[in-house]
């Protein structure tokens, strides 16, 4: 795994055996009203990294591995 920090986000690249590489963007927020803003910010980060929103997987790794 490789980790980096950008602004208030933790960006991680994980290699999942037998599946491939995954990029994870996490923002820490306090309060429910900031969750939507953090989500939009994370989506902008993915766009800035030229990652198409159609390639976003919203399931935990364990679910993908168990398929």
């Amino acid at each position: 795994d490789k980790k980096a920090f950008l602004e208030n986000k933790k960006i991680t690249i994980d290699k999942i055996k037998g599946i491939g590489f995954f990029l994870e963007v996490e923002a820490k927020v306090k309060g429910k009203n900031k969750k939507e803003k953090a989500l939009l910010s994370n989506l902008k980060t993915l766009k800035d990294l030229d990652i198409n929103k159609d390639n976003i997987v919203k399931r935990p790794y364990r679910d993908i591995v168990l398929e």
Side-chain angles (χ1 to χ4, degrees):
D1 297 350
K2 302 286 182 184
K3 294 181 184 178
F5 294 89
L6 176 67
E7 298 170 359
N8 67 330
K9 298 175 190 74
K10 178 172 76 169
I11 300 173
T12 307
I13 299 174
D14 295 320
K15 182 176 181 183
I16 307 302
K17 187 176 179 178
I19 296 177
F21 290 91
F22 287 82
L23 177 92
E24 185 175 6
V25 178
E26 295 178 281
K28 292 199 179 222
V29 295
K30 294 181 181 179
K32 291 181 181 180
N33 58 342
K34 295 187 180 183
K35 185 176 178 181
E36 182 71 23
K37 185 177 178 181
L39 176 59
L40 293 173
S41 177
N42 286 352
L43 291 173
K44 182 184 179 316
T45 298
L46 292 173
K47 184 178 178 183
D48 291 346
L49 293 171
D50 211 19
I51 296 173
N52 186 316
K53 68 179 181 178
D54 294 333
N55 292 327
I56 296 174
V57 176
K58 297 180 180 179
R59 296 178 295 148
Y61 296 148
R62 73 172 188 282
D63 291 355
I64 296 167
V65 171
L66 293 174
E67 283 186 342

